[in-house]
Amino acid sequence: MASSMRLGSAALRSSFRTPVRTSVSNGLRFYSSKTSSLKETFAAKIPGEVEKIKKLKKEYGNKVVGEVTLDQVYGGARGIKSLVWEGSVLDSEEGIRFRGKTIPECQELLPKAPGGQEPLPEGLFWLLLTGEVPTEQQVKDLSAEWAARSDLPKFVEELIDRCPNDLHPMAQFSVAVTALEHESSFSKAYAKGMHKSQYWEHTFEDSMDLIAKLPTIAARIYRNVYKDGKVAPVQKDKDYSYNLANQLGFADNKDFVELMRLYLTIHSDHEGGNVSAHTTHLVGSALSSAYLSLAAGLNGLAGPLHGLANQEVLKWLVEMKQAIGNDLSDEKIKEYLWSTLNSGRVVPGYGHAVLRKTDPRYVSQRDFALKHLPDDPMFKLVSQVYKIAPGVLTEHGKTKNPFPNVDAHSGVLLQYYGLTEQNFYTVLFGVSRALGVLPQLIIDRAVGAPIERPKSFSTAAYAKLVGAKL
Ligand code: CMX
């Protein structure tokens, strides 16, 4: 794997601080600077990680890690252990840990903006990729590097501008990210005939460029569909969340900027098996570029059972208010919950494939609301539903988890600050999700993860396998 650490011309592009080449040793260029860049930090970790996996496979490769029942096969592969995901692990009772750290721990440990209280998502990205908590300077450098890479190609701007306003913002988002394939360092190098040891570097470069461009893409969609079509330029000395808030048109409110920092941090990663993460990883396993892989993941995030639920929640709450009127008593809310269930629909924002408790991402958003908008009527309604819905869902008896997930809260926070256009909400989720799934894509290419190809059978073949006569 030593050759995989060769940092070529792509490395020069990635080194934002004026690089001073001091030595070239074993093909690895070193730059004099006070702190290590993200690329250098990650590159230094690769040989150890590759060695760890090699040793694990060599010594324990034939150990059984689980068995699969027919119910699991027909049940959406729930619980089948078959994926490797380094950034986060989801415990059904405790919720997510990013590289072993809970959300409150990340809130405490990750660097913050001057005067800010919420973690900067730049720090989370660093943590997910390297397993290390970055210094303030490293995070500052990363903010500057993303700002420096943020320009969109003209044809992508035009492509977004030509989308009809009634094309869902998530479809526009996916189109724009797919079109960025034109810029892919990975695809260009592959076409020329790249050695596999260089895959990760090009994936790293593409991921950094892609992440850098997402706020401008998201803001262009938002400003085109809902506002005057004008997007503020990225401010090179500001952090990622400030720029996103500013480009959307909300940075005058410093609490909204803080909300963006929290939002982008907590929506980033949630293990590898969820639809957007798994899809990005799967498509990437075919050596499709970071652009094509993320676009595929975004298309999955756009489904109502996954990321789109955050749009659905606000819609559902507004419809509930319209249907009930001013008497938002517990009894009326209970009736509304039952009417939703009895009409064969799901209660959006409740339930989860893995979690069996209230989602800590819900809790951190609730804490934010208690601090910044305790008297907002919609927040009060969300809190009231939180008291009632778990009981109703338990009585209904279908969902394995009657508690709220991340999507039950986000829309209410956004609407409070004036971002009321629900159809746009999943785009913000997508910007954040990129920060979680792209580190794994880079890791996949660095450790030589193979193309994915699980086995399928027909129902007749499964019946034969289990000895059933149908
Ligand atoms: N309201 C009504 N019924 C629900 C429900 C809810 N919130 N959550 C689950 N159920 C139902 C399922 O539809 C399923 O019914 P059928 O047996 O008729 O098919 C049954 O309960 C069992 O489902 P489960 O095993 O508890 O949940 P799944 O792992 O199949 O699905 C999820 C998980 C999230 C898709 C589901 O809970 C759901 O649809 N929730 C509402 C949508 C939502 O909030 N999605 C966002 C999830 C977080 C995210 O990815 O962003």
Side-chain angles (χ1 to χ4, degrees):
M1 203 62 202
S3 59
S4 76
M5 294 181 61
R6 231 171 269 137
L7 305 186
S9 59
L12 288 170
R13 270 208 299 134
S14 108
S15 185
F16 178 75
R17 291 179 308 285
T18 312
V20 183
R21 208 174 77 188
T22 53
S23 67
V24 180
S25 161
N26 295 329
L28 176 63
R29 294 174 201 277
F30 293 94
Y31 299 97
S32 77
S33 66
K34 283 191 218 102
T35 59
S36 306
S37 74
L38 178 57
K39 192 167 187 174
E40 288 162 346
T41 308
F42 179 68
K45 297 217 162 268
I46 296 172
E49 291 307 307
V50 170
E51 205 40 52
K52 241 189 268 174
I53 295 168
K54 218 166 116 186
K55 188 166 185 277
L56 192 66
K57 276 167 43 184
K58 189 166 172 230
E59 292 176 18
Y60 301 92
N62 60 1
K63 291 276 175 213
V64 175
V65 294
E67 55 177 23
V68 179
T69 64
L70 202 58
D71 273 346
Q72 286 176 299
V73 169
Y74 280 89
R78 211 67 88 255
I80 298 175
K81 298 185 197 84
S82 66
L83 294 168
V84 181
W85 199 262
E86 306 292 357
S88 64
V89 177
L90 180 60
D91 180 84
S92 62
E93 300 295 311
E94 184 194 51
I96 197 70
R97 277 182 185 260
F98 302 118
R99 290 281 186 174
K101 295 179 182 14
T102 62
I103 289 175
E105 284 165 0
C106 287
Q107 283 173 301
E108 193 193 323
L109 292 170
L110 293 176
K112 299 167 185 63
Q117 295 188 329
E118 300 300 342
L120 291 169
E122 286 89 329
L124 201 262
F125 181 77
W126 188 296
L127 175 69
L128 293 175
L129 183 61
T130 67
E132 290 176 8
V133 174
T135 63
E136 279 188 21
Q137 187 57 47
Q138 285 171 325
V139 160
K140 222 169 150 194
D141 289 349
L142 189 53
S143 299
E145 179 155 4
W146 284 349
R149 292 172 181 245
S150 62
D151 285 351
L152 288 187
K154 190 100 195 90
F155 88 95
V156 175
E157 288 180 355
E158 286 168 4
L159 204 58
I160 298 170
D161 294 348
R162 289 178 71 167
C163 285
N165 275 1
D166 58 356
L167 177 62
H168 193 281
M170 277 305 277
Q172 297 194 33
F173 196 28
S174 166
V175 164
V177 171
T178 301
L180 281 173
E181 166 69 3
H182 184 261
E183 312 298 297
S184 173
S185 155
F186 184 96
S187 299
K188 287 185 184 119
Y190 195 88
K192 276 193 211 145
M194 133 174 79
H195 191 278
K196 54 170 69 169
S197 64
Q198 291 173 336
Y199 288 174
W200 79 263
E201 282 189 57
H202 291 282
T203 305
F204 178 89
E205 293 301 329
D206 280 353
S207 298
M208 294 285 278
D209 281 342
L210 173 52
I211 288 169
K213 295 175 195 323
L214 293 177
T216 308
I217 295 175
R220 199 168 188 99
I221 295 167
Y222 180 73
R223 304 289 308 179
N224 277 352
V225 175
Y226 305 109
K227 304 284 174 184
D228 57 5
K230 296 196 179 90
V231 183
V234 164
Q235 295 185 25
K236 308 284 182 198
D237 59 338
K238 292 288 200 311
D239 65 88
Y240 192 74
S241 311
Y242 176 90
N243 273 315
L244 174 60
N246 192 42
Q247 291 188 297
L248 292 170
F250 294 89
D252 287 349
N253 191 327
K254 66 176 182 29
D255 290 346
F256 182 84
V257 177
E258 277 287 273
L259 174 63
M260 279 298 98
R261 292 173 181 142
L262 175 68
Y263 184 104
L264 294 181
T265 298
I266 64 173
H267 284 76
S268 58
D269 202 26
H270 214 230
E271 255 193 18
N274 66 75
V275 170
S276 52
H278 187 192
T279 307
T280 306
H281 165 80
L282 169 67
V283 173
S285 84
L287 298 186
S288 303
S289 76
Y291 301 101
L292 298 178
S293 303
L294 181 69
L298 291 175
N299 288 339
L301 193 71
L305 294 189
H306 190 20
L308 202 80
N310 71 79
Q311 150 186 336
E312 297 297 291
V313 169
L314 200 65
K315 190 165 150 256
W316 180 77
L317 289 170
V318 169
E319 282 169 4
M320 180 201 293
K321 275 179 88 168
Q322 281 163 359
I324 297 180
N326 289 334
D327 175 21
L328 287 165
S329 62
D330 289 2
E331 208 41 51
K332 289 279 181 196
I333 290 175
K334 207 169 168 182
E335 274 173 28
Y336 194 78
L337 279 157
W338 276 112
S339 75
T340 301
L341 292 168
N342 290 337
S343 64
R345 290 177 293 156
V346 295
V347 175
Y350 280 76
H352 200 271
V354 180
L355 281 168
R356 295 295 174 257
K357 284 270 166 69
T358 298
D359 190 336
R361 300 172 299 173
Y362 176 93
V363 175
S364 65
Q365 294 182 92
R366 179 172 163 77
D367 289 345
F368 186 95
L370 286 168
K371 192 150 82 183
H372 296 281
L373 44 135
D375 300 322
D376 177 60
M378 286 299 274
F379 169 55
K380 286 187 168 166
L381 179 57
V382 165
S383 303
Q384 202 178 352
V385 172
Y386 182 31
K387 264 194 331 188
I388 301 163
V392 172
L393 285 165
T394 303
E395 198 181 329
H396 183 242
K398 273 195 161 185
T399 174
K400 296 188 188 69
N401 176 38
F403 300 107
N405 60 57
V406 66
D407 297 321
H409 218 304
S410 48
V412 166
L413 299 177
L414 296 169
Q415 63 85 40
Y416 175 76
Y417 293 105
L419 210 167
T420 53
E421 299 85 358
Q422 305 140 27
N423 282 13
F424 182 72
Y425 289 174
T426 315
V427 174
L428 293 179
F429 197 157
V431 174
S432 174
R433 191 41 57 107
L435 303 176
V437 298
L438 293 175
Q440 185 60 43
L441 202 71
I442 300 165
I443 294 169
D444 287 342
R445 298 293 76 80
V447 301
I451 186 166
E452 267 187 18
R453 207 334 185 157
K455 179 74 188 125
S456 68
F457 283 112
S458 62
T459 293
Y462 273 119
K464 202 168 157 200
L465 197 70
V466 299
K469 289 203 175 63
L470 298 180

